Amino acid sequence: MRVLAEVHARDGYPVNWPDQPGAWLSGGPLLGSWVAELDGGLVGHVSLSQGSEGDLAPVLWGERNGTTRGMTAVVSRLFVAPQARGRRIGALLIGRAVEEARRRGLHPVLDVVASDTAAAALYERLGWELMATVEQQWGPHQTVAIRCYAAPS
């Protein structure tokens, strides 16, 4: 939770701090979660899950490919400690999640808040395809632009 709190303070991720950060990291229909360590300390995290209510990328990918969203796996909860950036930790974590999705016969997709330009740049450097940018209602007074990506085939 300490690393997530550091990332939130510096980058605003997650946009809305969860009431229960531990449950936020481990909740939902998880297929797996991985952490990165550097010099004996935790420096990163990524999850892979089945698409759930509110995930846009699985729906878009399914529509584009004539399949169901059940044929996708959502890469999420990716963060790297500020002091550990620039060492390809984010790319390694994404690679691990993608590897697991493919092992299960699922296509990796993800949603990212459009204002998180550093994350979007990472995905694009890794060859992920931007499928769309859409507005999503997160509450009665919060509309957020979301960029939806699919991993390269």
Side-chain angles (χ1 to χ4, degrees), residues 23-140:
W24 182 78
L25 284 175
S26 61
L30 281 180
L31 300 173
S33 291
W34 298 268
V35 296
E37 292 182 2
L38 182 65
D39 300 327
L42 183 75
V43 295
H45 177 275
V46 70
S47 291
L48 185 70
S49 64
Q50 303 240 315
S52 59
E53 191 70 29
D55 290 322
L56 302 172
V59 175
L60 290 172
W61 192 85
E63 288 172 355
R64 284 184 164 204
N65 293 282
T67 65
T68 65
R69 72 184 200 177
M71 296 301 298
T72 64
V74 179
V75 176
S76 63
R77 310 300 195 248
L78 173 67
F79 58 92
V80 174
Q83 70 275 12
R85 294 180 183 167
R87 298 179 178 176
R88 298 200 35 83
I89 293 169
L92 290 170
L93 286 166
I94 292 169
R96 180 61 188 97
V98 166
E99 178 184 309
E100 179 63 18
R102 294 196 192 287
R103 186 187 72 75
R104 293 171 177 260
L106 303 172
H107 193 86
V109 297
L110 61 84
D111 295 336
V112 63
V113 176
S115 61
D116 192 346
T117 56
L122 171 62
Y123 305 136
E124 290 172 13
R125 275 194 312 274
L126 295 174
W128 287 62
E129 175 195 357
L130 176 63
M131 295 183 289
T133 301
V134 297
E135 297 282 317
Q136 190 175 40
Q137 197 71 34
W138 281 10

